[in-house]
Amino acid sequence: MTTAAMLNGRATAPIESLLQEQRIFAPPAEFTATARLKSQAEYERLYRQSMDQPEQFWREMSDRLHWSEKPTVMCDWSHPPFARWFTGGKINASYNCLDRHINHGLGDKPALLWEGEPGDRKVLTYRQLHREVCRMANVLKAQGVKTGDRVAIYMPMIPEAAVAMLACARIGAVHTVVFGGFAAEALADRINDAKAVAVITADGGWRRGKIVELKKNVDAALAKTPTVQRCLVVRRTGQSLAMTAGRDSWYHDLVAGVSDVCPAEPLDSEHPLFILYTSGTTGKPKGVVHTTAGYLLGALLTCEYVFDLKDKDVYWCTADIGWVTGHSYTVYGPLACGATTLLYEGAPNFPDMDRFWDLIERYHVSVFYTAPTAIRAFVKWGEKYPQRHDLSSLRLLGTVGEPINPEAWTWYHRVIGGRRCPIVDTWWQTETGSIMCTPLPGITATKPGSCAVPFFGVDLAVVDRQGRELPPNVGGFLVIRRPWPSMLRTLYGDDERFKQQYWREIEPFYFTGDGARRDADGYFWVMGRVDDVVNVAGHRLGTMEVESAMVAHPKVAEAAVVGRPDELKGQALAAFVTLKAGAEPDESLRQELKAWVGKEIGAIARPDEVRFTEALPKTRSGKIMRRLLRDIAAGKETVGDTSTLEDYSVLAALRQDRE
Ligand code: PRX
């Protein structure tokens, strides 16, 4: 089946239901009065300039950053799809996030507010954070880490995680943060792909009152990673650990007595800042490469214009630093604009379901950014939890990660935002680096479920297969038609896959992998992925990745994994599995397979449902017909074309085996 057919097949329902969503929420006058952008005319002027005179626009915008050497050319697109931004420039991301503010008198302003799950707290001012970053950078240098080396970071949400990222940036080492929820196998794959020379980790982290044993996972991973020379371990949870001599060191031992002077390395604008792995349609995760200047400018500008961050704000993005949202909107963006950013280690329902609201009240959080899946959980837990707390410090709310259903949107607006806070529904991707489509909070009248209008410099469009722009309200492919500063530059070590994945489907545009429509007012409505990527609780998972893990189990012959709608998580994973001869399809194997995937990839990839089947529906050429499986998993009758199905009896059998 073509992607287009799939898109049309899946687009019908969301388009119809969303069209009934007529409510419009104008920005409150009190918000607009103090907002950075106050009028539609101002947005239009800047947007037009970014489209019509991009060199001039980006030259002006780039002045917000501190450069060791100013760039000469803003965008070099002479070898598409390989863009170069701000060429000739020399810059350092850590300098821009720290030294620049200290030099402007903000040294004593809190940069990081941190709370651990057990309730322990720490505040780091810009000066203190700078000091910690310099010391860790000196430790890395002493351990032999050099500019351009890759360093894997596998950490709980503690200040040292942000310190580690900025320390790498300071010396030009390229960090690759691996989400602490990933298992040893997934960690080893990422380390090996990036050929990391060092790992920064912790003994463990706290999650729902229990220790997540990070160092144990690192030990299992490092048995398979020949490139790793050094492993630095931050003490967090305090349990005793096995340390491998010659490889592992306690960070507190290494840092004792180390100088806090470490000049930031001036780096080329295009020097890679980080690699972040994300799921694609094949089993192998993609190492998305972001470079220094363009990425940082994207993160900075969106924090200023979309989150309207100002001096007095206390800003909290709930994403883990293992995801791109944590990179751009917990660490780099807020620090680049000199804001105060809150980091919380643990779960939202520990010790009780009001932990987030308690944090907002105690830290006087004014700008709050979270994901629809979290909001749906809050709705389910009930209003009594937020009602226990004074949330009047909030002035702006944000959401990201998947389409937000209008019910969750209006609940968020009413219960959390007290009807006075605008909501920015921000659409973007790991690959885009920063927010691409969003309301501007002082200007844009919001429509629940729509991510509104393109950000400056973003030439976003809904097109057909041939790249022709579609009329209002017709569903199509979401593309970006020109390069933007924070775009990914390639997939690490695989330029060819980069071209294939993003640039060949709808040439010559960047294809996002999402289906969308644009309404008559020019607002975008993203409908979700059109490929074999599912969005579970706001996290992208390639179904192929889960299938590969399944098939690696000795009793499994073949597996197909698809997404099905899920009230809480957006999508859940359903696995259809055929077993090798002699294996018993019983409940204990079902549980074993779920646990197996959890161990191979991590708990987020654990299938919600495993169905055993004698055979999978295939075309005559042997391709698994995933569309049929999606319908079956969703409990729907198959309406699509089944004429290429090889064996009809397979379908009937599949419907019977339910968990
Ligand atoms: O399908 C879109 C969905 O999340 C995908 C990007 O996932 P990831 O790279 O993991 O980054 C998530 C955080 C930036 C997109 O292709 N998505 C993200 N934000 C939205 C969204 N779908 C609808 N509305 C959004 N606001």
Side-chain angles (χ1 to χ4, degrees):
M1 188 178 45
T2 63
T3 323
M6 222 159 80
L7 173 65
N8 291 335
R10 283 211 247 162
T12 334
I15 286 182
E16 282 172 4
S17 63
L18 289 175
L19 274 176
Q20 290 156 16
E21 182 50 61
Q22 299 287 357
R23 284 166 292 187
I24 295 188
F25 295 78
E30 315 82 77
F31 189 97
T32 308
T34 63
R36 211 175 270 271
L37 279 180
K38 294 189 175 58
S39 74
Q40 180 65 16
E42 217 171 332
Y43 164 75
E44 276 165 19
R45 183 184 64 78
L46 282 167
Y47 185 78
R48 277 274 48 95
Q49 194 198 359
S50 75
M51 290 292 116
D52 300 342
Q53 299 154 310
E55 280 280 313
Q56 190 191 327
F57 177 82
W58 290 115
R59 193 178 296 279
E60 281 167 24
M61 290 295 165
S62 70
D63 278 343
R64 313 256 179 125
L65 294 171
H66 173 273
W67 299 87
S68 311
E69 275 173 47
K70 291 251 181 196
T72 47
V73 178
M74 299 303 115
C75 178
D76 173 0
W77 191 229
S78 54
H79 296 93
F82 301 98
R84 297 176 57 77
W85 279 88
F86 307 111
T87 51
K90 292 248 186 284
I91 190 165
N92 185 285
S94 138
Y95 187 97
N96 272 279
C97 290
L98 302 168
D99 310 54
R100 185 164 58 108
H101 307 311
I102 297 169
N103 297 344
H104 288 148
L106 292 181
D108 295 325
K109 176 175 176 172
L112 278 187
L113 306 174
W114 174 75
E115 185 158 311
E117 196 186 71
D120 38 349
R121 295 172 203 179
K122 218 181 251 177
V123 176
L124 289 178
T125 62
Y126 272 94
R127 203 183 318 282
Q128 290 164 330
L129 181 60
H130 177 263
R131 179 168 181 267
E132 295 309 318
V133 168
C134 289
R135 295 175 82 211
M136 194 180 292
N138 281 332
V139 167
L140 289 173
K141 284 204 255 185
Q143 296 299 308
V145 176
K146 293 185 292 300
T147 301
D149 283 348
R150 274 80 55 217
V151 174
I153 298 176
Y154 184 67
M155 300 272 267
M157 289 285 280
I158 55 177
E160 289 84 349
V163 170
M165 292 163 78
L166 292 164
C168 287
R170 197 154 188 95
I171 62 172
V174 183
H175 59 71
T176 181
V177 182
V178 180
F179 172 53
F182 277 126
E185 281 295 320
L187 173 62
D189 284 351
R190 285 157 177 76
I191 290 175
N192 283 332
D193 190 80
K195 300 187 186 65
V197 300
V199 177
I200 307 175
T201 188
D203 46 0
W206 291 104
R207 186 91 192 162
R208 282 197 194 91
K210 296 204 180 70
I211 292 175
V212 181
E213 299 257 11
L214 295 172
K215 175 61 166 54
K216 239 190 201 162
N217 290 344
V218 171
D219 287 338
L222 294 194
K224 302 176 188 169
T225 56
T227 54
V228 174
Q229 305 292 321
R230 308 289 297 137
C231 175
L232 278 51
V233 188
V234 173
R235 179 169 280 158
R236 163 71 186 130
T237 40
Q239 76 277 27
S240 63
L241 289 186
M243 299 289 272
T244 302
R247 186 193 72 190
D248 302 348
S249 311
W250 284 106
Y251 178 66
H252 57 256
D253 289 338
L254 297 178
V255 80
V258 164
S259 157
D260 58 8
V261 178
C262 178
E265 195 72 37
L267 300 162
D268 194 276
S269 294
E270 284 295 331
H271 186 81
L273 178 62
F274 64 86
I275 302 169
L276 186 60
Y277 285 86
T278 188
S279 298
T281 49
T282 72
K284 192 169 170 280
K286 305 183 288 193
V288 169
V289 177
H290 281 290
T291 57
T292 305
Y295 169 80
L296 196 63
L297 187 60
L300 166 68
L301 290 180
T302 45
C303 274
E304 286 184 354
Y305 289 122
V306 181
F307 296 123
D308 196 47
L309 289 188
K310 297 212 251 346
D311 192 37
K312 294 274 176 292
D313 279 310
V314 175
Y315 163 82
W316 183 22
C317 161
T318 65
D320 192 280
I321 49 135
W323 309 108
V324 74
T325 312
H327 283 58
S328 304
Y329 297 111
T330 295
V331 180
Y332 287 111
L335 296 179
C337 56
T340 299
T341 174
L342 173 67
L343 211 65
Y344 165 60
E345 178 185 35
N349 53 355
F350 190 88
D352 203 353
M353 263 96 94
D354 65 344
R355 184 63 181 267
F356 277 15
W357 320 127
D358 177 42
L359 284 159
I360 289 176
E361 178 173 17
R362 283 189 290 110
Y363 289 91
H364 308 291
V365 172
S366 54
V367 180
F368 178 66
Y369 192 32
T370 195
T373 183
I375 299 167
R376 288 193 295 268
F378 303 146
V379 174
K380 194 172 148 214
W381 295 342
E383 288 181 30
K384 69 173 196 221
Y385 294 103
Q387 276 163 3
R388 282 184 194 164
H389 298 277
D390 175 6
L391 303 180
S392 61
S393 58
L394 289 171
R395 65 179 194 97
L396 175 61
L397 303 174
T399 128
V400 60
E402 59 181 304
I404 182 165
N405 42 314
E407 294 67 34
W409 193 104
T410 45
W411 187 92
Y412 195 31
H413 184 255
R414 177 175 60 83
V415 180
I416 306 306
R419 293 195 169 93
R420 75 185 175 278
C421 304
I423 296 181
V424 286
D425 176 351
T426 62
W427 176 90
W428 60 295
Q429 309 179 293
T430 305
E431 292 86 344
T432 69
S434 59
I435 294 167
M436 296 281 105
C437 192
T438 174
L440 290 160
I443 302 174
T444 317
T446 46
K447 305 184 186 187
S450 166
C451 56
V453 293
F455 190 65
F456 305 131
V458 181
D459 187 6
L460 197 65
V462 177
V463 301
D464 65 12
R465 257 224 154 280
Q466 283 68 44
R468 290 176 297 223
E469 190 154 9
L470 291 165
N473 290 320
V474 176
F477 303 101
L478 187 66
V479 297
I480 307 177
R481 294 185 292 198
R482 62 167 82 185
W484 65 100
S486 65
M487 69 195 281
L488 80 166
R489 298 303 193 263
T490 190
L491 293 176
Y492 188 70
D494 203 344
D495 286 348
E496 195 44 43
R497 190 173 175 202
F498 168 66
K499 288 193 223 163
Q500 286 292 346
Q501 185 80 45
Y502 304 106
W503 302 93
R504 290 273 156 77
E505 291 233 14
I506 306 178
E507 276 186 284
F509 304 144
Y510 168 85
F511 177 41
T512 62
D514 281 345
R517 69 185 169 89
R518 194 171 194 179
D519 71 17
D521 299 325
Y523 282 49
F524 284 84
W525 300 76
V526 173
M527 292 161 346
R529 306 289 306 184
V530 299
D531 52 18
D532 286 322
V533 170
V534 286
N535 199 327
V536 178
H539 298 140
R540 243 163 89 177
L541 291 171
T543 50
M544 277 290 292
E545 211 175 331
V546 185
E547 285 168 13
S548 315
M550 267 298 180
V551 175
H553 187 280
K555 289 185 182 162
V556 172
E558 196 171 34
V561 175
V562 295
R564 66 160 161 76
D566 181 271
E567 220 175 272
L568 220 53
K569 298 200 278 188
Q571 280 185 294
L573 290 176
F576 294 83
V577 176
T578 61
L579 296 175
K580 287 185 183 156
E584 271 304 306
D586 55 20
E587 188 53 32
S588 88
L589 183 56
R590 217 193 281 277
Q591 294 311 326
E592 188 181 322
L593 290 179
K594 289 184 184 179
W596 170 268
V597 175
K599 189 179 132 294
E600 292 280 304
I601 307 180
I604 43 165
R606 196 184 152 101
D608 298 87
E609 190 184 346
V610 171
R611 294 200 201 183
F612 294 115
T613 168
E614 285 293 310
L616 290 167
K618 290 189 184 167
T619 63
R620 281 166 206 140
S621 64
K623 273 191 150 176
I624 296 173
M625 295 183 77
R626 288 162 198 287
R627 177 175 49 86
L628 298 188
L629 294 176
R630 272 195 285 269
D631 287 348
I632 290 166
K636 284 198 295 203
E637 276 303 309
T638 299
V639 286
D641 179 16
T642 53
S643 59
T644 53
L645 184 65
E646 194 202 32
D647 176 2
Y648 281 92
S649 64
V650 169
L651 263 194
L654 275 173
R655 289 221 162 76
Q656 275 154 25
D657 180 71
R658 303 212 60 162
E659 213 178 295

